[in-house]
C-alpha cells in the first residue's frame, strides 16, 4: 500500500470476511450512513451520539457494542435509516489507509457487478486494497480482486503482476470458492468461530446492486 | 516485509530475473565471494579494491561496470576465484532489507532442490523474500516461492495465505512456466531487452547444487 499514491485513484476497499460484506448488506437494508473507525474507543464513543456501534476484534464482537461482524445482523428492519459506527480488525483499518484517495468505494462479492460497473464507467486509475489479515495476504480478498480483473480484463493495464496473480487464482477458484478457501488461514480462523453460514453468504456474488462511497468521513449510497 | 521480524528467521532472497540466478551461476563457476550492494556508487567504488563490478539498473548494464545481469556473463573461467561487487534494481535491495536475519540464503530455480534441502534440514522459521519489481509483486519470484511451498507442503504451517496463493500459482504454471509468464509485467519488460535466452535459462530448475549464504556482509558457498 505504501508503494501507491492514492491521490488520483479510485480505491476499492475489500474485506470479504466480513467487514465490507457487512457494510454492503447494511446499506442494502436501508442504513443511512456508516462511519468507519480504525480506533476502537473512537468507535465506542459514537454510541452517545445515537449511532449503532458495530464491529469486531480478532473476529469476535466487541464487548458493549450493539452488533458484531456478521452480515445477518444487518438485515433487519431495525437498521433502516440508522447511523452505524463500525470498527474491525482489518477492513476499517484499510479504509483509514485509503483516506486521501480521489474516491473510496466498498467492494464485496455481494455487490460485485455493481462495483465492476462503477469502475468501468468511472475514472481509469484504480487500486483495489485487499484488507487481508493484520496486513498480511488472505485468499478471499485476493479472489475478489481477481474477479474484478477477470471481468475487466479487456479494459485494464496492470502496473505489476499482482492483478494477474489474483486473476489466475480467481479463475482456479470460481466454480467452488468455498472448497478453494477451505485451506486458507482466515477461513480456518473463522470456522473455529462457527460462522460457516456467514462465509457462504459473503462468497455469494451479486446479492445487492449498490456501491457504498466514502465522502466527508462517512460511507453512503447515493 | 515490514510485517516480519527476520531476527529469528532463515530468509531466502529471490530475484529470478535475474539477480539471484546470476549469483548462483557465478558461484557454480568458481566465484570466491559476492558483495551485494543496494547503492550503485558504493558498488562502483569496489572496482578500486580489485572486485569485478556487476549489475543493472532498470534491466540494463550500468555504465562503467564490468558485467551486467545475465547469467551467461558468469559462466566463463575468467570469474573463477574472483570477488564480485553486485548491485541490481531489485535483488540486492531485497538482500539489504533482509540484513539482521538469522540466516540469509540465495534462491533461484537454478538451485531449487539445494535450497529445499537446506530449508528441510535447517531451522524451522523461514521467510521467502520475493524481490519483485521495485517493491511490487512479480509472478516469477512468486512461482519460485510456490515451488518451495509445494515441495515442502508436508512440512510447513504458513502464517498467512501468501504461501498458499504462491503454491496454487506454481502448480498452475509448472508445466509451462515460460508460457505462463508471457503476460507478466517483468517478462514483458525484459523481452523488450531481447533476453529471451536469459529468461529460459533462469526458469530451468536444478542446474547447480549450491546454496550461497550471506555472512559478514558477503555471500559465499561453504
Amino acid at each position: 500500500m505504501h508503494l501507491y499514491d492514492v491521490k488520483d485513484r479510485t480505491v476499492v476497499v475489500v474485506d470479504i470476511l466480513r467487514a465490507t460484506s457487512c457494510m454492503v448488506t447494511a446499506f442494502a437494508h436501508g442504513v443511512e450512513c456508516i462511519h468507519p473507525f480504525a480506533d476502537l474507543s473512537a468507535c465506542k464513543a459514537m454510541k452517545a451520539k445515537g449511532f449503532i456501534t458495530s464491529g469486531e476484534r480478532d473476529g469476535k464482537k466487541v464487548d458493549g457494542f450493539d452488533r458484531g461482524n456478521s452480515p445477518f445482523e444487518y438485515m433487519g428492519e431495525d437498521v433502516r435509516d440508522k447511523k452505524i459506527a463500525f470498527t474491525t480488525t482489518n477492513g476499517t483499518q484499510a479504509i483509514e489507509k485509503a483516506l486521501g484517495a480521489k474516491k473510496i468505494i466498498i467492494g464485496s462479492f455481494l455487490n460485485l457487478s455493481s462495483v465492476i460497473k462503477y469502475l468501468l464507467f468511472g475514472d481509469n486509475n484504480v487500486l483495489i486494497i485487499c484488507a487481508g489479515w493484520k496486513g498480511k495476504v488472505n485468499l478471499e480478498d485476493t479472489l475478489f480482486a481477481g474477479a474484478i480483473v477477470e471481468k475487466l480484463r479487456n479494459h485494464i493495464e496492470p502496473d505489476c503482476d499482482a492483478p494477474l496473480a489474483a486473476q489466475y487464482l480467481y479463475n482456479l477458484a470460481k466454480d467452488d470458492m468455498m472448497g478453494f478457501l477451505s485451506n486458507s488461514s482466515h477461513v480456518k480462523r473463522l470456522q473455529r468461530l462457527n460462522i460457516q453460514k456467514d462465509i457462504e453468504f459473503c462468497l455469494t456474488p451479486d446479492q445487492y446492486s449498490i456501491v457504498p462511497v466514502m465522502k466527508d468521513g462517512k460511507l453512503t449510497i447515493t
Side-chain angles (χ1 to χ4, degrees), chain A:
Chain A
M1 173 89 214
H2 62 282
L3 295 166
Y4 295 89
D5 184 3
V6 295
K7 197 166 87 265
D8 297 319
R9 291 192 186 242
T10 297
V11 172
V12 186
V13 177
V14 186
D15 182 3
I16 298 299
L17 299 175
R18 296 168 284 166
T20 60
S21 299
C22 280
M23 290 170 179
V24 169
T25 303
F27 280 115
H29 291 84
V31 159
E32 183 190 320
C33 64
I34 296 177
H35 290 226
F37 289 90
D39 181 62
L40 191 70
S41 52
C43 187
K44 208 169 214 166
M46 299 301 283
K47 196 171 170 71
K49 297 182 183 172
F51 282 68
I52 295 175
T53 52
S54 294
E56 51 75 34
R57 281 295 179 273
D58 293 324
K60 287 170 223 150
K61 188 182 152 189
V62 180
D63 272 352
F65 270 38
D66 299 312
R67 281 181 170 74
N69 199 29
S70 164
F72 293 101
E73 296 178 77
Y74 299 91
M75 290 179 175
E77 268 305 306
D78 52 347
V79 297
R80 185 163 301 280
D81 300 326
K82 293 291 197 306
K83 297 176 179 190
I84 295 180
F86 213 115
T87 185
T88 67
T89 311
N90 306 295
T92 56
Q93 318 293 324
I95 293 173
E96 183 157 287
K97 281 182 193 151
L99 293 179
K102 191 171 178 185
K103 282 178 187 154
I104 300 173
I105 68 170
I106 297 298
S108 71
F109 282 107
L110 301 173
N111 67 335
L112 176 62
S113 292
S114 298
V115 168
I116 288 165
K117 269 181 223 148
Y118 185 97
L119 297 177
L120 191 58
F121 297 109
D123 296 323
N124 285 321
N125 207 346
V126 172
L127 181 69
I128 304 171
I129 301 186
C130 296
W133 180 258
K134 299 187 180 179
K136 294 181 183 173
V137 170
N138 75 24
L139 270 181
E140 65 276 15
D141 297 344
T142 306
L143 292 185
F144 174 81
I148 293 187
V149 175
E150 173 63 20
K151 311 277 185 190
L152 293 178
R153 65 186 181 280
N154 297 325
H155 306 274
I156 57 173
E157 276 182 61
D159 68 351
C160 78
D161 286 345
L164 200 58
Q167 184 186 10
Y168 278 122
L169 292 167
Y170 170 71
N171 281 325
L172 206 56
K174 63 185 174 189
D175 294 329
D176 178 18
M177 283 204 282
M178 197 74 200
F180 187 85
L181 290 174
S182 59
N183 285 320
S184 86
S185 57
H186 197 196
V187 167
K188 278 186 189 164
R189 193 179 295 117
L190 291 175
Q191 277 167 342
R192 286 194 292 270
L193 301 171
N194 285 322
I195 55 165
Q196 186 76 6
K197 196 177 146 205
D198 281 20
I199 300 173
E200 280 172 22
F201 182 69
C202 292
L203 296 176
T204 314
D206 296 331
Q207 297 302 294
Y208 308 120
S209 303
I210 52 162
V211 179
V213 177
M214 188 83 175
K215 202 177 170 187
D216 302 329
K218 65 182 180 189
L219 293 161
T220 55
I221 51 172
T222 46

